[in-house]
Amino acid sequence: MSTEAFQILQSVCPLDCPDTCSLDVKVADGRVVAIDGNHRNAVTAGYICGKVRRFPEHVYGTDRVLYPAVRSGKKGSGTFRRVSWDEALALVVERVRDVKRRLGGEAILPFSYGGSNGYLTQGTTDARLFHRLGASRLAHTVCAAPSSTAVRGLYGRMPGVAFEDYPAARLIVIWGCNPSATGIHLVPYIRRAQRAGAKLVVVDPRRTPLARLADLHMAPLPGTDLPVALAVHRWLFEHGATDKAFLEEHVAGVEEFRRRVEAWTIDRAASTARVKPDEIEQLARMYAESSPAVIRCGWGVERNRNGGSAVAAILALPAVAGKFGVRGGGFTMSNSMAWDLDATRAACEPEPATRLINMNRLGQALVDEREPPIALLFVYNANPLATLPRQGLVRAGLAREDLFTIDFEQVLTDTARWADVLLPATTFLEHTELRKAYGAMLVQSARPVIAPVGEARPNYAVYAELCRRLVLSHPGEPEGPEELADAILSGDSSRPIAASLRDSGTAAPLCGARPVQFVDVLPRTSDGKVHLVPSALDAEAPLGLYGYQHEADDRYTLALISPATSRSISSSLAQLIAEQVAVEIHPDDAAARGIATGDAVRVFNELGQLHTRAELNDQLRHGVAVVPKGLWSRHTADGNTANSLVPDTFTDLGGGACFNDARVEIERI
Ligand SMILES: Nc1nc2c(c(=O)[nH]1)N[C@H]1C(S)=C(S)[C@@H](COP(=O)(O)OP(=O)(O)OC[C@H]3O[C@@H](n4cnc5c(=O)[nH]c(N)nc54)[C@H](O)[C@@H]3O)O[C@H]1N2
Ligand SMILES: Nc1nc2c(c(=O)[nH]1)N[C@H]1C(S)=C(S)[C@@H](COP(=O)(O)OP(=O)(O)OC[C@H]3O[C@@H](n4cnc5c(=O)[nH]c(N)nc54)[C@H](O)[C@@H]3O)O[C@H]1N2
Ligand SMILES: [Mo]
């Protein structure tokens, strides 16, 4: 076998990360032998994370699903019998028809989320199939629902500051975000800004790598960003540090907003968040005095009962203090707001007004007596047993004997082990994809670099085939990846994007790759103004917008958070973590419980428990414990992960998941 004869083929990483690395894939004898970065995406600039470097182990590893299979043991046993695609799809069609006839389309629930952030592997022929079946709809709320509700309300989908413009800032505030793990290409821009004299503030209950390099690190208790941000606003108003001309011209709801921040003195906010009053004052002063100032708001802010209001209060800061209108000034949240591509065009079928199920309560939805019950669950692009709140309830739902579960997967995940039918999915190296970034401002297209491994097939092909078998396809509809991409790019406004993709495989959004807020992009609200207290958000939040919800329950005093780590993307690639993963505890909290590093411990609350070993970590604030997100059952002693302890309560806005509202106790066993 010749190793000389290799090719370098271009691709793009579609995983759920803001950066979307452009990739060089080394292929020899039809096999991927190495993956590296290239410079097509100027932000990712030729270097990639360690996970994606290891992606060949995902493609060729022992967990890979290679063939269609049907369950041969009892539910959840993970034992399957290989069948042909024809047999597997015939069984799926028979079950779909049977459930629809007996119970109606709404007894079918498609379940998908972030496995692939590509335009072609989600919302195309899959949406066509489920819309035409009249299936229940899924509210895609597990991530970003609170923050995007807040941004839409205040700014109406206004894109944010580009990473490349961070070096222009004099102050960078990283709020509830850990780019050192979750979007590594922002870090060099921050470092460059610091070398040019910019100050750095990090707000995070953990001393993250960037917090160690910061001029100010504030470590509030999880869920208390709202009072902190409101106290900063109050200080700005009180010290004449607001931009009156800007507020006058561009902002609605200023008086009402001012009234709402009034109650939050620095002392009151500091005692709620358990930080020093000086730190809040220092943040307010630095922010008032620096320009350009940019806030990178992360998703760590939103994952609690106050998350939506907290994001709104944080993103209101540049409007109140007048930080827009200059390069390097403003905020960055999700830059997916930069794209107006209408992905629904590929479905060729409008969404029906069927029952909407919030994915964060999948467990409840499966075990509930509801009319009709969910009788057929079709999972793809997601690993709900690993990634959703109330893991115990999700597991109980999947265990229902009268539930028929199809999992369309690349690897045998914890969820897939509960499937009745297992369908093998291609990875991005094996199918065509179109991927927009939500950090870098770029869309990229990529073709397969290898043939499908085993009998894997792409999502778009399998759902098109199911449409045909169920006599739900219409002649002339786009089915192949190029046709689907054309449909998505067929809107008038997307012509330049389509042309650029044809020429170079990449395209910037119409607003440009480095828009300056309030110069190149404006709020896309009804009247073009910033709305500090939009009535829809105010009506939605249980205590009104900016109403702080205290801890509901004080039985368990440790806040368990489950942030992302550099070793997986949500649960994707976590199968490559070989060892048991510890719960991290602050040394003071450990001492109070007689726990040392390496001890076997039980982490528990009223919802569940997990057994693993403990690891002392003085980089946490005390009162906070960490179990990383995305673990598989193999990573703990009892098979439970952080989500066994996470409630299925909703965030104040957007029906989001309160992952970081888990409150627990930890004891040695
Ligand atoms: N390597 C890697 N990269 C990823 C992912 C991954 O799993 N692994 N996931 C991707 C996805 S799906 C997303 S959504 C993004 C998320 O990326 P980030 O926005 O970085 O989100 P998290 O990791 O959830 O949390 C960020 C930080 O918030 C802190 N935090 C927790 N609770 C609070 C709080 O109440 N207030 C404040 N101020 N901070 C808090 C945590 O300690 C953590 O350091 O990253 C994406 N990139
Ligand atoms: N405790 C806790 N839990 C969390 C979070 C947290 O902060 N704490 N964060 C949450 C966040 S931010 C997110 S975004 C969610 C993500 O949760 P999920 O959407 O469940 O994402 P993944 O865990 O990455 O699982 C995606 C699965 O899709 C599969 N897949 C990838 N590409 C394809 C494809 O083309 N076709 C098919 N059929 N399958 C494919 C992958 O193999 C993988 O198993 O997790 C959430 N879970
Ligand atoms: Mo996410």
Side-chain angles (χ1 to χ4, degrees):
M1 195 171 67
S2 140
T3 47
E4 297 300 304
F6 66 82
Q7 280 178 292
I8 303 285
L9 298 167
Q10 293 192 331
S11 188
V12 51
C13 179
L15 296 176
D16 191 343
C17 162
D19 297 3
T20 61
C21 291
S22 53
L23 302 173
D24 274 344
V25 184
K26 186 172 177 181
V27 176
D29 299 320
R31 267 178 87 89
V32 174
V33 291
I35 301 184
D36 210 336
N38 70 28
H39 289 261
R40 268 211 312 180
N41 178 347
V43 167
T44 62
Y47 70 96
I48 65 170
C49 70
K51 298 174 291 299
V52 171
R53 224 172 258 292
R54 288 184 70 186
F55 203 80
E57 295 172 58
H58 176 83
V59 175
Y60 303 115
T62 50
D63 294 296
R64 186 75 199 260
V65 178
L66 294 169
Y67 311 104
V70 297
R71 176 163 69 86
S72 60
K74 67 177 187 12
K75 280 228 180 208
S77 62
T79 49
F80 298 91
R81 170 175 64 84
R82 179 178 172 181
V83 298
S84 67
W85 266 105
D86 188 54
E87 195 180 331
L89 292 179
L91 179 59
V92 171
V93 164
E94 180 200 308
R95 287 311 186 105
V96 165
R97 284 210 171 107
D98 171 62
V99 166
K100 190 166 157 73
R101 185 177 40 77
R102 279 190 299 116
L103 300 162
E106 287 185 332
I108 298 168
L109 179 67
F111 191 98
S112 63
Y113 195 73
S116 163
N117 270 231
Y119 274 118
L120 305 185
T121 44
Q122 190 152 322
T124 60
T125 53
D126 52 324
R128 183 182 304 166
L129 172 70
F130 295 117
H131 291 355
R132 287 183 184 161
L133 282 171
S136 284
R137 292 172 301 148
L138 186 73
H140 288 91
T141 45
V142 75
C143 173
S147 53
S148 49
T149 303
V151 180
R152 274 201 208 104
L154 268 69
Y155 294 99
R157 286 181 59 83
M158 182 170 73
V161 177
F163 294 174
E164 299 97 305
D165 283 336
Y166 275 59
R170 303 294 300 159
L171 174 69
I172 298 173
V173 181
I174 305 290
W175 204 315
C177 192
N178 180 24
S180 307
T182 60
I184 56 177
H185 300 89
L186 178 57
V187 176
Y189 292 108
I190 295 172
R191 300 296 287 149
R192 205 188 301 164
Q194 284 188 292
R195 282 196 298 277
K199 296 272 188 275
L200 178 65
V201 174
V202 173
V203 185
D204 197 303
R206 301 186 299 163
R207 197 172 307 127
T208 58
L210 282 174
R212 274 170 233 150
L213 302 169
D215 300 280
L216 171 65
H217 171 215
M218 189 193 301
L221 278 180
T224 63
D225 302 283
L226 176 60
V228 171
L230 295 179
V232 173
H233 280 289
R234 187 182 191 275
W235 187 97
L236 294 170
F237 282 111
E238 206 173 52
H239 289 78
T242 62
D243 183 337
K244 293 200 187 62
F246 184 86
L247 289 174
E248 184 72 28
E249 195 182 338
H250 295 290
V251 186
V254 179
E255 278 318 305
E256 178 58 20
F257 182 68
R258 184 172 185 164
R259 214 178 52 71
R260 294 185 189 206
V261 309
E262 206 46 51
W264 290 101
T265 61
I266 283 184
D267 283 342
R268 182 166 169 233
S271 84
T272 306
R274 310 270 179 78
V275 297
K276 296 198 189 86
D278 287 356
E279 293 173 344
I280 302 181
E281 183 165 345
Q282 201 187 335
L283 167 58
R285 203 176 286 282
M286 284 168 88
Y287 193 66
E289 289 169 0
S290 316
S291 184
V294 62
I295 299 175
R296 199 308 178 240
C297 184
W299 292 269
V301 176
E302 72 168 25
R303 311 194 201 284
N304 63 77
R305 64 207 180 276
N306 297 304
S309 287
V311 171
I314 291 165
L315 298 186
L317 283 165
V320 169
K323 300 297 177 189
F324 290 121
V326 288
R327 193 164 293 285
F331 69 82
T332 314
M333 182 84 234
S334 169
N335 279 336
S336 61
M337 310 269 171
W339 302 98
D340 290 316
L341 299 182
D342 182 5
T344 63
R345 285 165 177 272
C348 300
E349 181 71 27
E351 198 175 65
T354 50
R355 169 169 77 177
L356 183 65
I357 292 180
N358 187 318
M359 67 191 296
N360 293 321
R361 292 214 176 126
L362 178 68
Q364 200 63 58
L366 289 176
V367 302
D368 255 8
E369 307 255 328
R370 50 179 83 202
E371 270 312 314
I374 295 167
L376 189 142
L377 177 71
F378 203 138
V379 180
Y380 60 110
N381 297 348
N383 182 9
L385 184 53
T387 54
L388 294 188
R390 292 210 64 183
Q391 189 166 68
L393 210 53
V394 176
R395 197 182 289 115
L398 291 172
R400 258 178 51 202
E401 286 298 335
D402 59 343
L403 175 72
F404 190 76
T405 301
I406 301 149
D407 200 344
F408 185 13
E409 250 299 352
Q410 298 169 346
V411 287
L412 192 63
T413 61
D414 290 348
T415 309
R417 300 180 74 83
W418 288 91
D420 295 287
V421 173
L422 195 55
L423 302 175
T426 45
T427 69
F428 73 95
L429 299 171
E430 302 149 59
H431 58 233
T432 301
E433 194 54 286
L434 181 65
R435 168 67 155 107
K436 79 172 175 198
Y438 62 92
M441 296 214 207
L442 192 73
V443 63
Q444 300 174 76
S445 57
R447 305 198 26 87
V449 298
I450 51 168
V453 171
E455 291 183 1
R457 292 186 185 174
N459 291 7
Y460 42 77
V462 169
Y463 290 110
E465 171 70 15
L466 282 171
C467 281
R468 266 193 300 279
R469 288 182 182 233
L470 284 156
V471 203
L472 293 172
S473 26
H474 301 168
E477 284 174 336
E479 286 191 353
E482 277 80 19
E483 291 173 332
L484 292 166
D486 284 348
I488 291 166
L489 296 166
S490 63
D492 275 343
S493 61
S494 52
R495 291 247 158 82
I497 294 176
S500 172
L501 279 168
R502 258 194 313 276
D503 291 347
S504 65
T506 70
L510 295 181
C511 64
R514 292 170 59 188
V516 175
Q517 292 179 312
F518 281 85
V519 175
D520 305 307
V521 290
L522 295 167
R524 291 193 279 178
T525 51
S526 52
D527 56 0
K529 289 193 167 193
V530 185
H531 289 248
L532 291 182
V533 195
S535 52
L537 271 53
D538 203 29
E540 184 183 344
L543 300 181
L545 187 59
Y546 310 119
Y548 177 72
Q549 301 184 65
H550 289 269
E551 299 268 344
D553 183 344
D554 55 10
R555 276 176 298 168
Y556 301 95
T557 54
L558 291 172
L560 179 73
I561 62 173
S562 39
T565 71
S566 58
R567 302 212 289 171
S568 69
I569 290 271
S570 299
S571 76
S572 295
L573 303 174
Q575 81 273 17
L576 304 180
I577 303 173
E579 72 284 357
Q580 211 182 77
V581 177
V583 54
E584 297 165 39
I585 319 175
H586 188 276
D588 294 350
D589 297 320
R593 292 165 177 79
I595 294 169
T597 288
D599 284 352
V601 292
R602 186 169 87 97
V603 188
F604 64 97
N605 62 19
E606 75 284 9
L607 299 175
Q609 60 177 0
L610 86 84
H611 290 190
T612 191
R613 64 191 168 78
E615 193 173 292
L616 272 49
N617 181 353
D618 64 3
Q619 306 294 297
L620 304 177
R621 68 151 294 146
H622 63 85
V624 172
V626 171
V627 173
K629 91 159 160 175
L631 297 184
W632 288 33
S633 60
R634 61 180 71 164
H635 297 125
T636 64
D638 64 352
N640 292 323
T641 69
N643 282 327
S644 66
L645 302 157
V646 170
D648 62 359
T649 45
F650 292 144
T651 53
D652 54 344
L653 299 178
C658 292
F659 291 115
N660 296 337
D661 272 345
R663 297 295 177 264
V664 301
E665 190 44 71
I666 304 182
E667 66 185 16
R668 244 175 70 190
I669 45 177

